[in-house]
Amino acid sequence: GALGGLGLWLWRRQAVMAASEEDEEEKELRQRFMAPPVSGLRELRRRRRELRSRMELLIMETQAEVCRALAALDPGAAFAVDTWERKEGGGGISCVLQDGEVFEKAGVNVSVVFGHLSEEAARQMRSRGKSLKAKDGKLPFCAMGVSSVIHPKNPHIPTMHFNYRYFEIEEADGTKQWWFGGGTDLTPTYLNEEDAVHFHKTLKEACDKHDVKLYPKYKKWCDDYFFIEHRGERRGIGGIFFDDVDSPSKEEVFQFVKSCAKAVVPCYIPIVKRHCNDSFTPEEKLWQQLRRGRYVEFNLVYDRGTKFGLLTPGSRIESILMSLPLTARWEYMHTPPESSKEAEILEVLRNPKDWVH
């Protein structure tokens, strides 16, 4: 009897401890993230030394950090948190704020997907120089990332975009190819040199912690990538951009990506604070709408992430097209007057500047 009583006591004690652990886990989830991670907190803890798990935690933390910083500036608005599953494998968390006082549309998405690459997606990667050897026509892959576009209401606050991602592919012989990509860039409606310098300097500091050659290299890559060829102009005033980075080592690239992700809030939030009470005219709002049209053109015609998402079976179209603004405008043959503020930003978009020297 005594032994049976002891067994029952031990069982109850374990049950109470397990419930207490679950409560702690729930509490931690609420404090750290916008929603439970796609892979589950326990699974991430179990595999916490693996880079895939560390990257998933980083993108979850980045999402929460950015959402909370934006929500603090627009207290009347709230993020809709939308978790979704992909039947082919994985899922994601979309956090979208719409029609706030400060932000017309702000989205911060996390996705962790796995399965087999579609032939079209594999073809797109091979066109970038990847030699991928499929087994029975199949290429197992895992992709994860955090992606955000922020479209403010006030034309004196720039639009901002960032994206940091990790990709892994298993080839026919079992070897794994991996790489990181990402970047952060700014798209102002009107040029403010102080904002441009602050933005670029903050990103340069994040890059310089790892290698002073990285910022100039990735700044140029950003200017070249966000080029709307049919318009002869950049989408914005750049920032940094990189893709297919797989050296010097997995750990070193991860640490670099982490520094860049941590630079998102300090490079952008001070700019929003500086301009959120600026007055603006209907003409300035109109110019913002026309510039938004250019943003849409780039994203739908050229953006690699949008194209990959649209070519991936089971991908979530709402999340992929979250980057598009709530409103935009296209006017036939619109040309701003010479020496105007509108012409000034166009000059910089056609001829990128060095903002930090």
Side-chain angles (χ1 to χ4, degrees):
L3 283 174
L6 179 64
L8 185 62
W9 179 81
L10 283 170
W11 178 82
R12 279 185 181 147
R13 183 175 156 80
Q14 282 172 332
V16 167
M17 284 170 72
S20 168
E21 271 177 37
E22 278 179 24
D23 287 348
E24 282 301 309
E25 204 166 278
E26 276 298 312
K27 197 168 148 190
E28 186 186 344
L29 281 172
R30 279 197 301 274
Q31 286 172 345
R32 282 180 73 185
F33 309 130
M34 299 300 285
V38 174
S39 301
L41 199 55
R42 281 188 181 173
E43 182 61 13
L44 289 176
R45 281 215 181 100
R46 195 176 66 78
R47 295 189 286 114
R48 63 181 171 271
R49 288 191 179 84
E50 288 181 29
L51 193 124
R52 271 169 64 164
S53 298
R54 292 163 68 206
M55 183 64 181
E56 187 171 344
L57 284 169
L58 173 65
I59 62 180
M60 292 293 302
E61 282 163 6
T62 304
Q63 180 185 48
E65 201 175 291
V66 173
C67 287
R68 284 168 188 154
L70 296 174
L73 296 176
D74 205 340
F79 275 95
V81 179
D82 188 10
T83 59
W84 51 273
E85 282 183 24
R86 176 176 174 268
K87 71 176 193 299
E88 292 83 355
I93 302 145
S94 298
C95 296
V96 181
L97 182 156
Q98 240 169 222
D99 255 337
E101 287 297 310
V102 177
F103 302 109
E104 187 173 292
K105 189 177 179 192
V108 192
N109 287 352
V110 153
S111 64
V112 179
V113 297
F114 48 87
H116 293 97
L117 274 191
S118 70
E119 192 45 54
E120 189 56 44
R123 196 178 300 127
Q124 194 188 323
M125 287 186 175
R126 288 190 182 104
S127 72
R128 290 182 1 229
K130 297 272 174 209
S131 57
L132 305 172
K133 299 179 221 48
K135 184 178 184 180
D136 304 324
K138 289 184 175 178
L139 272 168
F141 83 100
C142 164
M144 62 180 70
V146 57
S147 176
S148 173
V149 177
I150 299 152
H151 293 293
K153 280 194 166 171
N154 192 315
H156 298 294
I157 307 175
T159 283
M160 197 266 283
H161 157 259
F162 76 88
N163 171 287
Y164 291 100
R165 58 194 178 275
Y166 172 70
F167 217 97
E168 206 174 82
I169 286 180
E170 191 174 325
E171 295 192 87
D173 60 2
T175 58
K176 284 183 180 173
Q177 281 204 46
W178 59 268
W179 62 90
F180 289 87
T184 304
D185 62 280
L186 199 69
T187 305
T189 301
Y190 289 96
L191 184 64
N192 180 299
E193 297 230 355
E194 194 183 337
D195 294 344
V197 170
H198 166 80
F199 186 79
H200 277 268
K201 272 194 166 170
T202 309
L203 293 177
K204 182 180 184 296
E205 283 163 17
C207 293
D208 286 355
K209 286 178 194 168
H210 301 272
D211 186 338
V212 292
K213 296 191 190 103
L214 295 178
Y215 170 76
K217 180 182 175 182
Y218 294 156
K219 191 263 185 199
K220 183 181 184 309
W221 198 339
C222 188
D223 289 334
D224 293 344
Y225 177 75
F226 290 105
F227 183 59
I228 309 170
E229 205 168 326
H230 60 269
R231 298 285 188 184
E233 62 191 45
R234 274 87 196 151
R235 188 178 77 175
I237 60 160
I240 56 170
F241 177 83
F242 56 93
D243 208 354
D244 301 328
V245 176
D246 57 6
S247 65
S249 73
K250 200 183 265 193
E251 183 59 33
E252 284 171 282
V253 187
F254 173 70
Q255 291 300 335
F256 165 67
V257 166
K258 190 174 180 178
S259 294
C260 294
K262 295 292 176 199
V264 169
V265 167
C267 78
Y268 184 59
I269 295 299
I271 296 173
V272 181
K273 285 181 177 171
R274 196 179 296 147
H275 299 292
C276 58
N277 294 316
D278 288 5
S279 60
F280 57 89
T281 65
E283 290 75 22
E284 287 170 334
K285 188 68 186 171
L286 170 67
W287 177 243
Q288 182 194 47
Q289 297 292 290
L290 291 166
R291 296 313 308 164
R292 292 245 185 95
R294 297 286 203 267
Y295 206 93
V296 172
E297 287 176 30
F298 178 84
N299 282 29
L300 294 182
V301 177
Y302 300 109
D303 187 66
R304 198 180 281 176
T306 305
K307 283 158 88 171
F308 177 80
L310 295 173
L311 295 171
T312 303
S315 59
R316 192 165 185 272
I317 302 304
E318 283 298 316
S319 299
I320 295 161
L321 298 182
M322 173 214 74
S323 64
L324 303 184
L326 210 54
T327 58
R329 186 178 174 104
W330 286 265
E331 272 190 24
Y332 184 69
M333 300 292 282
H334 183 278
T335 309
E338 276 184 49
S339 305
S340 65
K341 284 282 192 189
E342 290 77 13
E344 181 188 32
I345 186 77
L346 282 180
E347 174 58 30
V348 171
L349 299 179
R350 288 168 185 155
N351 301 291
K353 281 181 70 169
D354 178 352
W355 299 102
V356 295
H357 296 105

